[in-house]
Amino acid sequence: MPVPYNGSVARVNFGPLSAARVRRWLRNGRFDLIHIHEPITPSISLLALLAAEQPVVATFHTATPRSRSMRLASDVLRAAIEKIDAGVAVSESARNVVVQHLGRDAVVIPNGIRFDDFARRPIAGSPRSSERSRLVFIGRLDEPRKGLEVLLAAVPQIRQARPNLEVIAAGQGSRPLPSWCRSLGTIDDEAKIALLGSADIYVAPHLARESFGIVLLEAMASGVQIVASNLPSFVDLLGAPQDDRRLGEVFPVGDHRALSRAVLQVLQHPNPLRATRARQAARSYDWSRVGRNVLAVYRAALSTAPTGRMGSGLG
C-alpha cells in the first residue's frame, strides 16, 4: 500500500495476511535476534516487533522534529516500543527524534557504504575542462523535498558563466525537464557508481527531513566536488560554511541563487585537497567499520535481554 510519510511515499505491507506470514517466518527461522528498521511505521517491521519473542534491535532513520504521527505512535504502541532492547539512529538528527518523541535513547551508527566500489577514479586536479563540466543530481525527480526544483532554478545563472555545463539527473519518477537537463531515469548501482565517477560536481539541494544522505557519502567516496544544502545531517557530514576544513560547499536550504554561486565557486576554484579529505572521511563509513559497531549492539542486546528472550548468542 502506498503511504505518504516524511515527505515521501512509502510502499508498505500491513494487515492480517502479512502479520500471519511474519509470525510464521519468525517461528520457522528460530532467530537469535531480530533487527528491524523504522519500527513504529505500519509495516513489516512493526509486525515483526509485535510478534518477536527474541531480543530486538531497531534502527531509526526519520529526521522529522515535529511529527504528529510519531507522537501518537509513542502512546498507542508503548508496549511494543518497550520490546526494543537496543536502538540505533543513523545520525544525531535521527537520534534527537527518538529522544523527543519516543522517550528513549539510541546509539548513533551511520549508514554504511562499500567504499572501494566508489573510490575507483583518481581525484582530478580540476574539472575535465573549463568548457565542458558535468553536474549531477541523484534522487527522486518528482519528490519536492529532494530539491530538484531548486537546482533547476539555479542552473540558468550558472550557464551564463558556463554555457556548456552538462546537467544530468537520475532517479525514480518523472517530470518535465528543461532541454539542457538530461534525465537517466532509475539507475542501478553500477550505473550510479559510473555516473558519480564521471561527475565534476554532485549537488544535493534537498529541502527537508534528510536524516543522513547516503548518496552524499557515496559522492564523497567518488572524489567528486560537492555542493549541498545546509540541512543538519549534511552539515554533520561536510562541515559548516565557516569551517576552513569543510568537505564541500553548503548553501541555505531552498536558496537557488546561493546554490548557483556555490557551484560557480567550485567550478572556478576546484579544490582537489578538499576532495581528497572528503574521500578519506568517507572511508570511515565502509561496512567493514560500520558493521563492527552494529555487531557490538547485537551482542549488547543479547547480553541484556530479559530471561526468556535470549537467543543462543552470536559467535
Side-chain angles (χ1 to χ4, degrees):
M1 297 180 295
V3 177
Y5 180 71
N6 195 30
S8 182
V9 176
R11 295 192 173 273
V12 300
N13 291 330
F14 204 70
L17 180 59
S18 295
R21 288 173 172 168
V22 168
R23 288 194 298 270
R24 183 169 61 250
W25 184 76
L26 291 177
R27 183 176 61 251
N28 293 342
R30 302 178 63 186
F31 304 110
D32 294 305
L33 176 142
I34 308 297
H35 187 169
I36 58 180
H37 289 255
E38 295 293 19
I40 64 170
T41 59
S43 64
I44 292 294
S45 289
L46 176 56
L47 295 175
L49 177 61
L50 294 171
E53 297 178 356
Q54 305 90 338
V56 175
V57 172
T59 293
F60 298 88
H61 298 262
T62 301
T64 309
R66 294 176 296 277
S67 173
R68 182 180 302 173
S69 61
M70 287 198 73
R71 286 197 298 270
L72 292 172
S74 66
D75 295 330
V76 174
L77 299 175
R78 178 54 54 190
I81 293 170
E82 291 302 321
K83 294 178 68 176
I84 298 173
D85 295 282
V88 173
V90 298
S91 66
E92 280 295 339
S93 299
R95 175 183 171 271
N96 290 338
V97 171
V98 175
V99 173
Q100 178 180 348
H101 293 298
L102 302 185
R104 296 179 60 102
D105 205 350
V107 60
V108 175
I109 301 178
N111 291 311
I113 62 170
R114 295 172 62 93
F115 175 82
D116 288 342
D117 288 353
F118 292 92
R120 296 177 182 177
R121 78 166 190 181
I123 293 175
S126 63
R128 288 173 292 149
S129 74
S130 59
E131 293 78 24
R132 190 72 171 174
S133 300
R134 174 174 286 183
L135 184 153
V136 167
F137 166 92
I138 300 176
R140 284 198 62 98
L141 306 185
D142 55 358
E143 190 172 305
R145 74 185 178 105
K146 298 301 182 182
L148 179 58
E149 197 66 43
V150 180
L151 173 59
L152 296 180
V155 170
Q157 182 177 342
I158 301 170
R159 284 169 57 86
Q160 288 180 8
R162 297 279 179 146
N164 291 325
L165 179 74
E166 184 180 17
V167 181
I168 299 178
Q172 296 180 353
S174 61
R175 51 156 298 163
L177 293 172
S179 59
W180 41 257
C181 182
R182 180 157 61 101
S183 174
L184 302 182
T186 304
I187 57 176
D188 60 20
D189 287 343
E190 281 300 316
K192 178 171 63 173
I193 291 168
L195 180 60
L196 288 173
S198 71
D200 294 305
I201 297 181
Y202 174 72
V203 176
H206 303 53
L207 297 175
R209 297 188 294 274
E210 295 292 336
S211 63
F212 187 72
I214 191 70
V215 183
L216 194 66
L217 186 59
E218 292 168 344
M220 291 166 60
S222 300
V224 183
Q225 305 275 345
I226 294 172
V227 174
S229 58
N230 64 348
L231 294 177
S233 57
F234 290 177
V235 172
D236 287 345
L237 279 174
L238 298 176
Q242 64 272 18
D243 185 353
D244 291 337
R245 290 188 59 80
R246 64 187 181 277
L247 304 177
E249 292 295 326
V250 294
F251 65 93
V253 171
D255 188 339
H256 71 274
R257 293 182 178 85
L259 169 54
S260 64
R261 290 193 296 270
V263 169
L264 287 172
Q265 169 70 18
V266 171
L267 288 175
Q268 293 163 3
H269 304 284
N271 190 334
L273 177 59
R274 176 186 288 177
T276 299
R277 288 191 287 105
R279 174 174 282 178
Q280 291 169 346
R283 185 183 291 277
S284 65
Y285 294 86
D286 185 75
W287 273 114
S288 63
R289 303 187 185 187
V290 174
R292 287 198 295 266
N293 295 332
V294 176
L295 187 59
V297 173
Y298 290 170
R299 290 186 172 125
L302 286 167
S303 67
T304 60
T307 304
R309 295 183 59 229
M310 292 291 290
S312 60
L314 298 176

Coordinates of all heavy atoms in Angstrom, one line a residue, residues 48 78 86 101 177-178 183 186 219 263 287 300:
A48 N 6.8 -7.4 12.8 CA 7.8 -8.3 13.4 C 8.1 -7.9 14.8 O 8.3 -8.8 15.7 CB 9.1 -8.1 12.6
R78 N 3.2 2.0 23.0 CA 4.2 2.0 24.1 C 4.6 0.6 24.4 O 5.8 0.3 24.6 CB 3.5 2.7 25.3 CG 4.4 2.7 26.5 CD 5.8 3.3 26.3 NE 5.7 4.7 25.7 CZ 6.7 5.3 25.1 NH1 7.9 4.7 25.1 NH2 6.6 6.5 24.6
A86 N 17.6 -2.5 22.0 CA 18.6 -1.6 21.7 C 18.2 -0.8 20.5 O 17.7 -1.3 19.5 CB 19.9 -2.3 21.4
H101 N 10.4 12.1 20.7 CA 9.1 11.5 20.5 C 8.9 10.2 21.2 O 7.7 9.9 21.6 CB 8.8 11.3 19.0 CG 8.7 12.6 18.3 ND1 7.8 13.6 18.5 CD2 9.5 13.2 17.3 CE1 7.9 14.6 17.8 NE2 8.9 14.4 17.0
L177 N 11.4 18.4 -17.8 CA 12.7 19.0 -17.5 C 13.1 19.9 -18.7 O 12.7 19.6 -19.8 CB 13.8 17.9 -17.3 CG 13.6 17.0 -16.1 CD1 14.6 15.8 -16.2 CD2 13.8 17.8 -14.8
P178 N 13.9 20.9 -18.4 CA 14.4 21.8 -19.5 C 15.3 21.0 -20.4 O 15.8 19.9 -20.1 CB 15.3 22.8 -18.7 CG 14.8 22.8 -17.3 CD 14.4 21.3 -17.1
S183 N 17.8 13.5 -18.3 CA 17.3 12.5 -17.3 C 17.7 11.1 -17.6 O 17.4 10.7 -18.8 CB 15.8 12.7 -17.1 OG 15.3 11.7 -16.2
T186 N 15.6 5.8 -13.5 CA 16.1 4.9 -12.5 C 17.4 4.2 -12.9 O 17.4 3.7 -14.1 CB 15.0 3.9 -12.1 OG1 13.8 4.6 -11.7 CG2 15.5 3.0 -10.9
A219 N 29.1 10.1 -3.0 CA 29.8 11.2 -3.8 C 31.1 11.5 -3.2 O 32.1 11.7 -3.9 CB 28.9 12.4 -3.9
V263 N 28.1 26.6 -6.8 CA 28.6 25.8 -7.9 C 29.7 26.6 -8.7 O 30.7 26.0 -9.1 CB 27.4 25.4 -8.8 CG1 27.9 24.8 -10.1 CG2 26.5 24.4 -8.1
W287 N 31.5 -0.5 5.3 CA 30.8 -1.5 6.1 C 31.7 -2.3 6.9 O 31.4 -2.9 8.0 CB 30.0 -2.5 5.2 CG 28.6 -1.9 4.9 CD1 28.1 -1.5 3.7 CD2 27.6 -1.7 5.8 NE1 26.8 -1.1 3.8 CE2 26.4 -1.2 5.1 CE3 27.4 -1.9 7.2 CZ2 25.2 -0.9 5.8 CZ3 26.2 -1.6 7.8 CH2 25.2 -1.1 7.1
A300 N 25.4 -6.6 22.8 CA 24.8 -5.9 24.0 C 23.4 -6.2 24.2 O 22.9 -6.5 25.3 CB 25.0 -4.4 23.9

